[in-house]
Amino acid sequence: MGIAISALSKLGLPGMDSLSTDQVYKKYFGSKNIKNYKDFHRAFVDLCSDFNLVMPGKHFTIQATEIEKFYEKWPKGTADPATESKRKELLAKFMKEQVEEYKTSSRAMMLTGVTAPPAAILIKKSGEKVPQLKMLRIDLIPNVVFVPAFTVLSLIGVRILKVTGTTRATP
């Protein structure tokens, strides 16, 4: 459905872009009584969480410090139509400028995916001779189960290392 709306707005039909912006704004910010940064941050995180759930395959991220800077610009006060339209415009502009696609290290994932199955077989073969691995009894696990499980766990490990590395790098 989003593709249809974006395609129609690219064709020049008026109001299609603002229709979706109005709906998003009303759902996450318009109906909620935002009094402080904590309320605003909760509404914004809900918006980002739902947005990431809807988008297949792609995930988007934003720096927490940018959200705080944006809240300082956020017009406070009553919910009159002029303030609401200004808030809507600011939110749309902010989302276009600051929200970025979260990119994983595809190279690390590919290298792990290619090297994990041979490594699993080598570990299983060495498990027959190395006393430290022999006590784990890896040789009892069939290759059909061990190799895919080892590969998936390796890919999960790479993903966790990437996520912890990016969260530590952010201020």
Side-chain angles (χ1 to χ4, degrees):
M1 176 145 180
I3 293 173
I5 290 176
S6 65
L8 290 174
S9 66
K10 295 228 188 291
L11 292 173
L13 292 175
M16 294 307 277
D17 192 32
S18 65
L19 174 69
S20 58
T21 306
D22 289 344
Q23 291 172 343
V24 168
Y25 179 80
K26 284 178 188 174
K27 181 176 181 182
Y28 295 101
F29 297 99
S31 63
K32 297 182 179 174
N33 192 9
I34 297 175
K35 297 176 185 163
N36 54 21
Y37 175 70
K38 186 177 179 182
D39 296 336
F40 178 81
H41 190 261
R42 187 172 293 130
F44 196 85
V45 168
D46 288 343
L47 167 67
C48 291
S49 171
D50 289 349
F51 193 69
N52 281 335
L53 285 174
V54 171
M55 296 300 287
K58 289 186 177 183
H59 289 281
F60 297 88
T61 184
I62 187 167
Q63 298 287 333
T65 54
E66 296 298 324
I67 298 171
E68 198 167 352
K69 288 178 190 174
F70 176 67
Y71 178 71
E72 292 170 3
K73 297 176 191 174
W74 186 261
K76 281 99 179 146
T78 61
D80 62 345
T83 307
E84 292 295 314
S85 66
K86 182 169 172 75
R87 287 178 180 171
K88 243 184 284 184
E89 289 173 18
L90 280 173
L91 180 66
K93 183 179 174 189
F94 176 71
M95 294 291 283
K96 287 178 184 175
E97 291 174 357
Q98 297 296 329
V99 176
E100 299 171 354
E101 183 179 351
Y102 178 75
K103 295 183 180 180
T104 60
S105 174
S106 60
R107 184 174 183 199
M109 296 290 275
M110 279 196 309
L111 286 174
T112 303
V114 168
T115 58
I121 292 177
L122 285 174
I123 288 171
K124 191 162 181 188
K125 292 283 184 190
S126 64
E128 297 169 1
K129 296 178 180 85
V130 177
Q132 291 84 358
L133 292 175
K134 197 172 193 176
M135 67 183 202
L136 295 175
R137 304 298 297 173
I138 297 173
D139 58 325
L140 296 177
I141 304 170
N143 283 348
V144 187
V145 175
F146 184 72
V147 173
F150 184 84
T151 304
V152 168
L153 290 174
S154 299
L155 290 171
I156 290 171
V158 168
R159 177 74 175 181
I160 288 171
L161 286 173
K162 175 68 177 165
V163 169
T164 56
T166 57
T167 55
R168 288 184 184 157
T170 57

